[in-house]
C-alpha cells in the first residue's frame, strides 16, 4: 500500500513548496493542509520541534524541509548515484540555504536602524556573491546544480525561488541567465508544471 501524505504548512510557498513540488514530481497525491499565521499558536505545540512544515507519512510526522525534500528525492530517483554525488547535491543545497539565511536576516529584522545597516552589504556584496557563484555552478553542471543532471537540489531551489525573490525584493534570476534557465526548465517538467498551474495563488 502506497504511503499517504499530508503536508501541513502556512498558506505560502516558502519552505513548504519544495516538498509540494517533490511530491508532485513523484506523482503522489497529498493533502495540502494550509493554515494562517494566527492559527500557528495552536498548531505549534503539535509539531515535533515547534517548526513547520510537517510532512505526515502514514501518520508519522517528519520535519525539516530540506531533510524531507532529500528523503523524497531519493525515493524519486533524484539523489546521487554514490556518496560523492550525494555530497555535491548536499553542498549546493547548503549554499542555497546559507544565502536564504542572509536574506532572512534582512527580511525579519524588526529594528529599523539594524535593518538599514544590513541592507547595504546584503544587496551590494552578499547577495551578488551568492548569485554569481550559484549561476557559475549551474553553467559548469550542464544547466543543473550538481553532477550535470537533474537532482532534488534543482527542485528544492525552484521551490524556494519565489521566497528568495520576495526577500531579495527582486527576481533572483533577473541578471543571472543560468539560474533563469534552470528555474524555467525545472518548472516546465510536466508534473511540476501541473502543480504550478493548479496551486493556490500566494504572494510568496
Amino acid at each position: 500500500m502506497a504511503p499517504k501524505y499530508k503536508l501541513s504548512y502556512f498558506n505560502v510557498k516558502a519552505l513548504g513548496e519544495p516538498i509540494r513540488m517533490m511530491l508532485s514530481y513523484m506523482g503522489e497525491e497529498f493533502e495540502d493542509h494550509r493554515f494562517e499565521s494566527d492559527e500557528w499558536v495552536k498548531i505549534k505545540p503539535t509539531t515535533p520541534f515547534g517548526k513547520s512544515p510537517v510532512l505526515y507519512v502514514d501518520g508519522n510526522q517528519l520535519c525539516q524541509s530540506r531533510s524531507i525534500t532529500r528523503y523524497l528525492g531519493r525515493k524519486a530517483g533524484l539523489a546521487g548515484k554514490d556518496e560523492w554525488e550525494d555530497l555535491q547535491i548536499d553542498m549546493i543545497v547548503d549554499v542555497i540555504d546559507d544565502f536564504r539565511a542572509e536574506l532572512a536576516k534582512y527580511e525579519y529584522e524588526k529594528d529599523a536602524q539594524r535593518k538599514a545597516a544590513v541592507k547595504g552589504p546584503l544587496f551590494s556584496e552578499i547577495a551578488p556573491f551568492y548569485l554569481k557563484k550559484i549561476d557559475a555552478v549551474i553553467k559548469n553542471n550542464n544547466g543543473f546544480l550538481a553532477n550535470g543532471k537533474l537532482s532534488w537540489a534543482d527542485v528544492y531551489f525552484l521551490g524556494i525561488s519565489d521566497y528568495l525573490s520576495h526577500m531579495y525584493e527582486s527576481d533572483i534570476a533577473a541578471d543571472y541567465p543560468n539560474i533563469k534557465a534552470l528555474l524555467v526548465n525545472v518548472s516546465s517538467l510536466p508534473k511540476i508544471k501541473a502543480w504550478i498551474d493548479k496551486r493556490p495563488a500566494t504572494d510568496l
Side-chain angles (χ1 to χ4, degrees):
M1 183 177 176
K4 183 177 180 181
Y5 296 102
K6 172 186 173 181
L7 180 70
S8 182
Y9 189 54
F10 295 95
N11 185 28
V12 293
K13 294 187 278 290
L15 298 181
E17 201 64 10
I19 302 169
R20 297 182 185 120
M21 286 186 171
M22 199 71 255
L23 289 167
S24 298
Y25 176 85
M26 295 165 66
E28 296 284 356
E29 292 186 9
F30 63 98
E31 180 183 347
D32 185 24
H33 173 246
R34 295 171 181 245
F35 54 85
E36 301 301 328
S37 297
D38 58 1
E39 299 175 82
W40 176 233
V41 66
K42 293 182 179 179
I43 294 172
K44 185 174 182 177
T46 70
T47 67
F49 290 96
K51 301 288 185 180
S52 185
V54 173
L55 180 67
Y56 294 80
V57 182
D58 290 334
N60 297 298
Q61 290 183 314
L62 303 177
C63 63
Q64 296 295 335
S65 60
R66 184 172 49 190
S67 296
I68 295 169
T69 309
R70 182 187 297 112
Y71 162 73
L72 295 174
R74 286 176 177 152
K75 290 179 69 68
L78 293 183
K81 69 179 182 184
D82 52 31
E83 292 88 349
W84 183 259
E85 287 198 356
D86 280 335
L87 175 61
Q88 306 311 306
I89 296 169
D90 286 342
M91 283 197 305
I92 193 62
V93 171
D94 284 346
V95 167
I96 291 165
D97 266 11
D98 284 347
F99 176 44
R100 177 174 65 84
E102 293 289 349
L103 293 174
K105 288 178 188 176
Y106 170 73
E107 173 70 13
Y108 297 106
E109 178 57 65
K110 298 186 183 302
D111 182 273
Q113 283 189 319
R114 284 200 294 266
K115 187 161 187 155
V118 168
K119 184 174 183 178
L122 174 65
F123 285 87
S124 65
E125 300 173 22
I126 297 171
F129 170 82
Y130 277 103
L131 290 169
K132 286 176 185 176
K133 291 283 190 179
I134 293 169
D135 196 69
V137 166
I138 296 168
K139 182 179 180 180
N140 293 331
N141 276 279
N142 194 34
F144 300 100
L145 283 167
N147 305 314
K149 59 187 176 183
L150 181 69
S151 73
W152 67 267
D154 302 303
V155 179
Y156 182 83
F157 189 38
L158 173 64
I160 66 167
S161 60
D162 284 345
Y163 183 36
L164 296 176
S165 291
H166 171 80
M167 293 191 289
Y168 187 50
E169 299 179 350
S170 182
D171 180 3
I172 60 167
D175 299 319
Y176 302 94
N178 297 293
I179 291 177
K180 183 173 184 178
L182 171 66
L183 297 179
V184 168
N185 290 340
V186 179
S187 65
S188 299
L189 294 170
K191 290 179 181 177
I192 290 182
K193 183 179 185 302
W195 165 252
I196 291 172
D197 288 345
K198 74 176 185 179
R199 70 187 176 186
T202 58
D203 291 336
L204 60 97

